[in-house]
Amino acid sequence: MTERTVRTSPLTSTLGRMLVALAASLLLGAGCSGEEAGPGDGPGTTNQCLSERDYFAKNVWAPVLAKTCTKCHAPGGQADEEGAKFTLLPSAYPGFVDANLAAAKLFAKTEYDGKSVLLRKPLGELEHGGEKQLEADSAEYRALEAFIQKVKNNDFCQGGSSVKGFDDVVLHDTLTTYRMATLNLAARLPNAGEIQRILDDGEQALEPLLDELMKEDAFFTRLKEMYNDMLLGDRYLGYSSYALNLLNKSHFPQAGDAWFETLPDAEKPKVNTAIAREPLELIAYIVRNERPFTEVLTADYTLMNPMSARVYNASLQFSNPNDENEWKAGQIVAKGNPANNEPADMVLPHAGVLSSPIFLNRFPTTPTNLNRHRARMVLKFFLATDILRIAERPIDPTQATSYNNPTREDPSCNVCHRMLDPIAGAFMKFNDNDQEKFEPNKNWHAAMFPPGFGKEVMETSQYGQALSWLAERVVKDPRFSLSVVYTAFHALTGEEPLAYPDVDDEGFEQKLASWESQDALFRSIGDVFVASNYNLKAAFKGVILSPYFRAKNTLGTPTPARQIELGAVGTGKLSTPEVLARKIQAVTGLPWARTSGGYKVHLLTTDYRILYGGIDSDDVTMRLTVPNGVMANVGWRMANEVACQTTAWDLSLSKHSDRFLFPYVTVDDTPESNAASIRKNIQYLHAHILGEALPAGDPELERTYELFVATLAEGQAKLASQELGASLSTACRARRNPYTEQDLPTDQRLEQDPDYTVRAWTAVISYLLADFGFLYE
């Protein structure tokens, strides 16, 4: 393998410089000189100079506290239930390292008879409820002693880090990285001007180009797809009144016979789409206008077009009352029932997507669930916390009968309900059966933990604005920025963030190094995101500039241990059906589509969407990331049919500059008459379709050339024996303009292939479209 030096250059903006500093620290490995710990200091020690956080994570948390203390001192553990002040968060909690470091430092400094409590308790002293856990001469105990001494002396390296760098990782060059970003985010290839900027300015051009890319309309289409994978509101596009049928008709009379049901059938889908996609339009509005992404939860408005504004009783003025693409910010007004002491017009208390009728229906509650499902989604989507992972522990179901109120009194239950139920309380004003129905006089359940967030209890005077009260606290929590980075990372790489490894896992040290590297990146991108005034685009750029998006290979063959450490790094994400459909059109000029009702319908987003691993936001909500046999066959069919429909059409264009695929050859070129042009066009196709800048003579180019030659020879032999005729099959002819569906003039048609060159090129296009490099990102 040819070695490549990974270089970074200062970018033009402050944000760019922050991102480059982050990239440099990860690529080259952070650290400082000086011995940190000798081999006898305890498990996990190294001679590397470490920061306070990294020293604790490597030498104290993983080998000592996680293995010895968390069973009892975790929330809901025996020590916690008995009122112990020393609480350790398990690794399922985001930010657990920082929280546990703070707790350990506090108790390290707390002494009894001149000796730290953190050293006396594990020996069974001071009436330790857990009795003796460590021997005084054990490596684990010595690790605690070393940590306490360092805390007392503040003897940590400033800026040192144990995080493994990526200095042995080869990144895609700037142009390839930008091509990957344009295809993923904007459904197109880089244009000539952008390519020239990259050739002129190199890495310095990348961030400004990404900024401009994320202003294009296609980016917001992609953004809404990404967030629909989370919110799943497109479920309600299933039929023309699905979203409208969710709405309470007394609150929203225009959603029923008063207006919607009187519309022509052709107009109803427009209204339904406006209601169903309201949360996604809100997200797009926030990002398009570069507003703080905290407004995804704190916005006291939502987005409406003329159709949805009428349904939601909003007094908004539109330039064109029939334009479904004109969106404005407004507030939902429900018609109240004076008999229930409700005002005639109730402006709903908005809290971004949380108060959306679509969110409330997509994540419903029941009279027994009492908004806990919604609370779980708030934790998962916006606080990077999977409450189900926290609850992973053996539970004796018979013990619950020993408690009058298990969710509050049973330690097996309240470990989650203490976190879950206060958040659930923020949704108290919505009906338990009619999901989006707002009831201002409804109160919370006394048997549950009171509404609040963390240790803060909501005052009863705030109950009318409970959701916005919650939202303000969620976005100030450090986990909010982490959740945004998680979402961007998953959307761009197709991978879930790494979970902290179990200390008993085989290869724990390598898995820990992998987790530490990723965690450091995520925290750094989160810091950049916050510093940018919560601009979502900063999080996207952070992921795109990172090795997790750009990694191509390694310098040399990595050791088995290093392979584990780099297991989550690099490209190779299977394109979603939507991204692949747009990529096909961007590369070939034509969609893989059928005509329905006078419109082109992309096959990958309709007929083959589920078969190719996509979702319908209803029954199928998880995308497939590993292809199965059916998906492989869809890929082959796509390659064959797209090659068939595009090859002759592209070759029929008289101006080579108008061609997507064949700028250097004609149908008359054969290996005998013009081998140089054929080779040049093959080199171009590898770059154009696969993004491979291969030098002349590269083995990959030679294999493709041999495919062309062999296919041509076989076809010509069959033509000579009259086994085949000169006419192209009907589907592969250039007889009609594929954009206008109008017949071409006779002299512009390409229907005959007497030399078999058209079909030989079709084989080449099919071969490249079915390649891993095209189907994957």
Side-chain angles (χ1 to χ4, degrees):
M1 180 183 298
T2 302
E3 291 196 1
R4 172 183 177 278
T5 301
V6 178
R7 295 178 296 172
T8 57
S9 302
L11 302 187
T12 54
S13 70
T14 301
L15 174 59
R17 288 192 291 272
M18 294 175 70
L19 288 170
V20 165
L22 160 64
S25 68
L26 290 173
L27 287 171
L28 303 178
C32 61
S33 61
E35 290 192 0
E36 181 56 56
D41 285 339
T45 56
T46 71
N47 290 327
Q48 187 179 11
C49 180
L50 302 177
S51 67
E52 180 182 72
R53 182 185 191 278
D54 285 341
Y55 184 95
F56 171 79
K58 196 173 189 67
N59 299 334
V60 181
W61 167 253
V64 184
L65 300 182
K67 296 177 69 172
T68 307
C69 306
T70 53
K71 182 178 180 181
C72 290
H73 284 273
Q78 182 177 347
D80 185 61
E81 287 301 312
E82 292 176 359
K85 296 181 180 179
F86 186 47
T87 300
L88 295 171
L89 299 181
S91 60
Y93 287 79
F96 72 96
V97 172
D98 299 286
N100 294 337
L101 170 60
K105 284 178 63 179
L106 176 63
F107 278 82
K109 296 176 180 179
T110 304
E111 296 185 346
Y112 185 83
D113 284 345
K115 188 175 182 180
S116 171
V117 172
L118 196 59
L119 290 175
R120 303 197 68 162
K121 288 280 189 177
L123 297 177
E125 300 175 3
L126 302 180
E127 299 181 350
H128 184 222
E131 300 181 343
K132 189 174 186 178
Q133 294 293 320
L134 296 177
E135 297 293 337
D137 60 350
S138 66
E140 289 80 6
Y141 194 78
R142 290 198 301 273
L144 284 179
E145 288 180 319
F147 171 69
I148 290 168
Q149 191 62 39
K150 283 183 169 293
V151 169
K152 288 182 177 180
N153 299 333
N154 193 25
D155 183 22
F156 295 99
C157 178
Q158 299 302 312
S161 176
S162 65
V163 175
K164 290 287 187 74
F166 298 108
D167 52 309
D168 58 340
V169 173
V170 179
L171 301 185
H172 283 293
D173 60 34
T174 306
L175 182 56
T176 302
T177 300
Y178 187 63
R179 172 194 161 97
M180 292 160 57
T182 57
L183 285 170
N184 188 309
L185 298 180
R188 65 172 179 82
L189 294 168
N191 59 45
E194 293 167 333
I195 293 172
Q196 190 59 53
R197 285 173 64 180
I198 290 173
L199 294 176
D200 291 342
D201 300 331
E203 190 80 6
Q204 293 185 34
L206 188 52
E207 192 211 341
L209 284 172
L210 290 173
D211 284 330
E212 294 169 21
L213 185 73
M214 289 188 283
K215 294 178 181 178
E216 298 180 18
D217 288 343
F219 167 70
F220 295 100
T221 297
R222 180 76 179 107
L223 179 69
K224 286 183 276 191
E225 282 177 2
M226 293 174 176
Y227 272 90
N228 181 68
D229 281 5
M230 173 197 291
L231 300 175
L232 301 172
D234 279 0
R235 170 189 192 181
Y236 301 115
L237 300 178
Y239 57 89
S240 63
S241 58
Y242 200 169
L244 273 294
N245 288 343
L246 303 173
L247 303 180
N248 182 281
K249 301 306 184 289
S250 62
H251 275 186
F252 306 106
Q254 301 294 335
D257 294 336
W259 177 64
F260 176 76
E261 294 298 342
T262 67
L263 293 174
D265 288 343
E267 294 298 309
K268 289 180 179 179
K270 297 179 182 179
V271 185
N272 190 74
T273 299
I275 299 297
R277 307 212 93 198
E278 168 238 325
L280 301 180
E281 294 296 340
L282 172 63
I283 291 170
Y285 173 85
I286 293 168
V287 178
R288 187 187 298 273
N289 293 280
E290 300 193 349
R291 300 174 72 91
F293 198 67
T294 52
E295 290 189 13
V296 74
L297 299 183
T298 64
D300 61 351
Y301 62 89
T302 190
L303 264 287
M304 306 180 199
N305 67 8
M307 292 80 172
S308 56
R310 183 160 185 174
V311 172
Y312 286 143
N313 308 307
S315 300
L316 295 175
Q317 299 298 316
F318 293 91
S319 302
N320 181 352
N322 298 312
D323 184 0
E324 60 190 297
N325 296 313
E326 184 180 358
W327 295 89
K328 288 193 173 184
Q331 294 184 316
I332 298 174
V333 179
K335 297 297 181 181
N337 184 354
N340 294 333
N341 294 319
E342 296 174 351
D345 291 319
M346 297 185 294
V347 177
L348 299 192
H350 286 70
V353 299
L354 299 181
S355 55
S356 165
I358 294 302
F359 179 89
L360 294 167
N361 276 278
R362 190 63 187 85
F363 304 104
T365 188
T366 67
T368 52
N369 178 262
L370 300 173
N371 297 306
R372 290 173 175 129
H373 177 52
R374 290 170 177 166
R376 181 169 79 87
M377 294 300 107
V378 171
L379 287 163
K380 180 179 179 181
F381 295 161
F382 305 112
L383 290 166
T385 303
D386 186 350
I387 195 75
L388 299 182
R389 280 191 61 212
I390 293 172
E392 287 179 345
R393 66 191 68 202
I395 294 177
D396 183 356
T398 63
Q399 290 298 311
T401 60
S402 303
Y403 300 92
N404 182 54
N405 186 346
T407 60
R408 291 193 65 156
E409 299 166 7
D410 184 351
S412 299
C413 300
N414 65 26
V415 61
C416 289
H417 284 276
R418 283 178 176 174
M419 183 186 302
L420 199 66
D421 288 6
I423 295 175
F427 294 90
M428 71 174 79
K429 296 296 184 180
F430 293 95
N431 188 278
D432 293 333
N433 294 297
D434 194 349
Q435 308 298 328
E436 81 298 331
K437 186 180 180 184
F438 182 70
E439 298 179 333
N441 301 314
K442 192 169 179 286
N443 286 310
W444 193 227
H445 306 275
M448 294 176 67
F449 288 106
F453 183 70
K455 294 183 179 181
E456 184 178 3
V457 177
M458 187 187 305
E459 295 182 5
T460 56
S461 61
Q462 297 294 323
Y463 280 11
Q465 301 290 327
L467 266 184
S468 57
W469 182 96
L470 171 69
E472 291 290 346
R473 283 148 182 82
V474 169
V475 299
K476 292 176 182 176
D477 190 293
R479 291 175 293 171
F480 174 74
S481 60
L482 189 62
S483 74
V484 172
V485 177
Y486 278 13
T487 300
F489 176 79
H490 177 66
L492 289 167
T493 69
E495 300 290 336
E496 294 290 346
L498 293 173
Y500 189 86
D502 190 286
V503 292
D504 296 322
D505 282 355
E506 183 177 354
F508 169 75
E509 286 290 334
Q510 292 75 37
K511 292 179 181 178
L512 177 62
S514 183
W515 179 87
E516 286 177 333
S517 296
Q518 191 179 87
D519 181 60
L521 173 78
F522 288 169
R523 287 187 288 112
S524 297
I525 296 176
D527 290 344
V528 174
F529 166 66
V530 173
S532 71
N533 194 26
Y534 297 92
N535 189 327
L536 183 68
K537 296 176 183 179
F540 274 67
K541 286 189 290 186
V543 174
I544 291 170
L545 292 172
S546 77
Y548 292 92
F549 186 83
R550 298 183 69 175
K552 177 183 180 182
N553 213 327
T554 57
L555 295 171
T557 303
T559 65
R562 187 59 173 153
Q563 289 182 28
I564 296 174
E565 292 172 354
L566 295 175
V569 178
T571 56
K573 171 193 175 186
L574 181 70
S575 293
T576 67
E578 296 86 353
V579 168
L580 183 58
R582 293 189 289 264
K583 185 176 184 179
I584 291 166
Q585 185 163 359
V587 167
T588 68
L590 296 175
W592 185 34
R594 57 180 171 82
T595 302
S596 176
Y599 295 95
K600 292 285 187 181
V601 177
H602 288 259
L603 291 169
L604 277 168
T605 58
T606 53
D607 303 41
Y608 297 120
R609 180 180 57 178
I610 303 301
L611 292 177
Y612 199 69
I615 64 173
D616 62 6
S617 301
D618 191 357
D619 297 317
V620 184
T621 59
M622 296 291 293
R623 295 186 183 275
L624 297 183
T625 57
V626 178
N628 54 36
V630 173
M631 294 168 69
N633 278 290
V634 172
W636 276 113
R637 179 164 187 165
M638 176 279 297
N640 290 334
E641 291 188 0
V642 172
C644 166
Q645 72 183 31
T646 58
T647 301
W649 163 250
D650 206 69
L651 285 166
S652 74
L653 299 174
S654 57
K655 290 181 63 177
H656 285 216
S657 61
D658 291 338
R659 296 181 180 181
F660 279 78
L661 303 173
F662 304 106
Y664 300 113
V665 294
T666 70
V667 293
D668 299 322
D669 289 332
T670 65
E672 293 76 22
S673 66
N674 200 348
S677 292
I678 293 171
R679 289 181 182 277
K680 186 175 183 180
N681 206 92
I682 286 173
Q683 186 181 32
Y684 164 81
L685 287 173
H686 273 264
H688 181 70
I689 296 177
L690 302 181
E692 298 176 337
L694 303 177
D698 186 275
E700 286 293 335
L701 300 181
E702 291 303 309
R703 277 190 281 271
T704 306
Y705 180 75
E706 289 302 321
L707 172 65
F708 177 83
V709 171
T711 305
L712 185 69
E714 182 180 351
Q716 289 179 340
K718 291 184 177 181
L719 287 172
S721 67
Q722 297 186 344
E723 186 177 344
L724 289 175
S727 296
L728 293 168
S729 63
T730 302
C732 300
R733 296 175 183 174
R735 179 184 178 87
R736 308 182 76 187
N737 185 313
Y739 299 106
T740 66
E741 297 293 336
Q742 299 299 310
D743 284 341
L744 295 171
T746 304
D747 62 343
Q748 294 181 19
R749 297 176 185 177
L750 180 52
E751 300 181 278
Q752 300 296 310
D753 186 23
D755 296 324
Y756 210 79
T757 54
V758 176
R759 283 168 279 191
W761 280 118
T762 301
V764 168
I765 299 301
S766 178
Y767 167 68
L768 294 176
L769 292 179
D771 189 89
F772 170 91
F774 185 75
L775 299 175
Y776 283 71
E777 301 171 51

